[in-house]
Amino acid sequence: MDLQSLKIERTVRPAVRARASNPWPLRLLLLGGLAVLAWLFGPALLGFADRWRLPTVRSYLVTAPTPAAAAAVRGTAANGYVVAARRAALSSDVPGRIVELAVREGSVVKKGDVVARLFADEFRAALQRADADLLTQSRNVDRARAAHKASAAELEQALANQQNQEAQDAANQALLTFAELELRRLAELARTEVGSQRDADRARSEAEAASARRRASQAGMATAARAVDSARQRLAVAAQDIEVAEAQRQAAAATREQAQATLDKTDVRAPFDGIVVLKDAEVGEVVSPNVQGGSNARGAVCTMVDFDSLEVQANVPETTLSSVRLGAPADVFLDAYPDERYEGTVDRIWPTADRQKATVEVRVKFARRDAKLRPEMGVRIVFRAADAPDPAAAGGPAPTALLVPEDAVVTVDGVLGAFVLERDTVRFTPVTAGERKSGRIAVEAGLAANQRIVLAPPSSLKNGDRVRLQD
């Protein structure tokens, strides 16, 4: 057996030795590792470098201002609320239980409309009794007037009888006078024996009869006079009875009116045109005008306001009160609708101030009202000078200036402008500035909404510099 062929070769071939000593795979592996490290930690290293190298600035996002904010630059601004000059909590003058409630929140009512009804059976019964008493007293007046009419007729009859008696007495007096003259003439003739004694006796008899008739007529006259006096007294009594009956009827009528008024008080009515804004009680609850602590009664049925009397109540700080004048124009912006402007006029300035808040109450009257206005809505009021132009006088809304912090606008090389951020680079942009107020400036041209500008840029900042935003 040949053992020489089984011997292991210990020498390395040249090709294998050359391949084992090649350095490029290791270099490529090292470069790949460095690339991965640069990809992983490069931004952090650059950020760390920028943290020490680049200036740190604060930014401000330019936004389109609301009309209220834009108007505030032109005048003195204050916060307030929409209130109603005419507001009433409706209740009854008499305590009672609610049996009917005709309104709810938002109900529109007219003056005199019944809002609620209280239990009123006893008051209605009192009114019916008062009606009966009034009817009775009215009949008594009619009876007294009839008695007065009868007494007047009796007086007329007595006066006529008296006149008849007086005429009868005058006739009897005339007959008596004639009989006495005839008696004297016939007696003289009988004494001179010219006439007969019989004629003289007849004349004497007739004179005595005439005298008796005269006495009877005088007695009748006295009786007639007493009858007239009695009739006059009865007529006076009848007139007094009429006065008494009239007074009793008036008392009954007053009692009836009182009962009617008391019954009417159980109907709670609207004192003016308006809208119900709050329902304070429900059917079955008791309401009372004199509610005190510890009582279960309600003090009011509902609360209503006159929307035609809506106005603005503003608390103006004492430091800015000098810019508010009676009759001066004001712009009102609702918090709920900040883009809509309501024209107003300063109507009243309170004569006293609130020492706790250091404010003075001012009322602004609306030039127009619409359905958007509601009591207790928050508003922003801008008081303009009396000679300030109306923003809407030109026939449409004027271009709205952008409001930015005053320290964002700087002067560089004699040019007024602002540094606009474009990622991490600033560009200096010239601007046209307007009014300055309360730390803000109105930029009329040069900037646009949604741009981000630098606040209080350092004096060393230049156009095109890179910056780092403050965290």
Side-chain angles (χ1 to χ4, degrees):
M1 183 175 184
D2 187 5
L3 297 177
Q4 188 66 29
S5 60
L6 297 177
K7 184 179 179 181
I8 299 175
E9 182 66 38
R10 298 293 183 180
T11 61
V12 180
R13 296 179 180 180
V16 177
R17 185 183 297 109
R19 185 167 54 246
S21 61
N22 190 358
W24 285 108
L26 181 60
R27 292 175 182 177
L28 292 176
L29 181 61
L30 181 59
L31 289 175
L34 291 176
V36 171
L37 292 177
W39 179 76
L40 291 176
F41 301 102
L45 293 175
L46 292 176
F48 181 77
D50 288 345
R51 187 182 301 273
W52 293 97
R53 183 172 58 89
L54 299 180
T56 302
V57 296
R58 294 180 297 113
S59 66
Y60 175 81
L61 181 63
V62 180
T63 58
T66 63
V73 179
R74 300 189 298 268
T76 300
N79 294 324
Y81 297 92
V82 177
V83 296
R86 298 182 67 188
R87 180 186 180 99
L90 306 186
S91 183
S92 170
D93 291 341
V94 295
R97 176 170 49 85
I98 300 176
V99 296
E100 180 183 349
L101 192 60
V103 297
R104 60 182 181 179
E105 290 85 351
S107 297
V108 179
V109 295
K110 297 293 184 181
K111 181 179 180 180
D113 288 352
V114 176
V115 173
R117 299 184 189 275
L118 306 184
F119 181 78
D121 288 355
E122 55 182 326
F123 300 117
R124 194 171 291 108
L127 177 61
Q128 293 175 353
R129 178 176 178 179
D131 287 335
D133 291 342
L134 179 59
L135 180 62
T136 300
Q137 296 303 328
S138 298
R139 294 294 180 268
N140 290 338
V141 171
D142 295 340
R143 186 181 297 109
R145 288 177 177 173
H148 182 271
K149 187 175 182 180
S151 298
E154 291 179 2
L155 178 59
E156 290 181 1
Q157 185 178 2
L159 289 174
N161 186 37
Q162 184 181 28
Q163 292 176 356
N164 186 29
Q165 291 296 330
E166 290 176 352
Q168 187 68 31
D169 180 67
N172 291 333
Q173 177 64 34
L175 292 174
L176 177 59
T177 301
F178 177 77
E180 288 178 347
L181 291 174
E182 186 68 15
L183 175 61
R184 285 196 296 271
R185 185 176 63 81
L186 292 177
E188 183 64 25
L189 292 176
R191 187 178 62 79
T192 58
E193 296 180 356
V194 176
S196 64
Q197 186 64 37
R198 180 180 179 181
D199 292 338
D201 292 340
R202 184 182 297 111
R204 185 177 292 104
S205 176
E206 290 177 357
E208 291 176 355
S211 177
R213 287 194 296 273
R214 173 68 194 288
R215 289 193 297 272
S217 64
Q218 288 181 342
M221 286 178 57
T223 301
R226 287 192 296 273
V228 168
D229 292 339
S230 178
R232 285 175 175 167
Q233 291 178 0
R234 288 195 296 273
L235 183 62
V237 171
Q240 293 177 356
D241 289 343
I242 291 178
E243 293 179 357
V244 172
E246 284 284 359
Q248 291 176 345
R249 188 190 68 80
Q250 292 177 1
T255 302
R256 195 263 176 199
E257 291 179 358
Q258 182 180 9
Q260 181 68 61
T262 304
L263 179 61
D264 292 341
K265 289 179 180 179
T266 60
D267 292 339
V268 182
R269 298 181 180 272
F272 49 79
D273 296 350
I275 298 179
V276 176
V277 297
L278 181 63
K279 189 170 64 173
D280 300 297
E282 296 289 348
V283 174
E285 291 186 306
V286 175
V287 294
S288 175
N290 300 317
V291 176
Q292 298 180 356
S295 174
N296 292 327
R298 296 284 188 177
V301 175
C302 65
T303 301
M304 62 174 294
V305 300
D306 181 5
F307 271 47
D308 290 336
S309 69
L310 291 181
E311 58 185 10
V312 175
Q313 173 189 354
N315 293 322
V316 180
E318 296 178 10
T319 54
T320 59
L321 184 63
S322 59
S323 60
V324 180
R325 293 287 186 270
L326 284 175
D331 297 329
V332 180
F333 301 89
L334 301 180
D335 292 347
Y337 306 97
D339 294 335
E340 186 168 357
R341 182 178 69 94
Y342 289 82
E343 299 179 16
T345 305
V346 178
D347 186 60
R348 302 188 301 281
I349 300 177
W350 251 236
T352 59
D354 187 338
R355 66 165 62 180
Q356 301 295 332
K357 300 179 181 178
T359 58
V360 176
E361 184 172 333
V362 175
R363 293 294 178 98
V364 176
K365 184 178 181 181
F366 285 104
R368 66 175 178 88
R369 302 179 181 87
D370 56 26
K372 295 178 181 178
L373 296 177
R374 287 178 171 82
E376 307 306 325
M377 293 184 74
V379 299
R380 181 73 171 173
I381 311 102
V382 179
F383 300 96
R384 291 187 281 119
D387 56 350
D390 189 348
T400 303
L402 298 174
L403 300 179
V404 299
E406 192 171 0
D407 59 358
V409 179
V410 295
T411 302
V412 177
D413 296 333
V415 179
L416 188 67
F419 285 96
V420 178
L421 276 169
E422 298 177 356
R423 297 195 177 185
D424 61 348
T425 305
V426 295
R427 301 295 180 189
F428 182 76
T429 302
V431 299
T432 301
E435 300 183 25
R436 301 171 183 257
K437 190 171 185 180
S438 301
R440 294 182 299 175
I441 184 170
V443 176
E444 299 175 354
L447 294 180
N450 297 324
Q451 284 185 326
R452 190 170 291 277
I453 59 178
V454 177
L455 288 176
S459 59
S460 60
L461 190 63
K462 303 298 181 181
N463 183 33
D465 288 351
R466 293 180 61 240
V467 296
R468 187 175 65 86
L469 292 179
Q470 184 178 353
D471 295 336

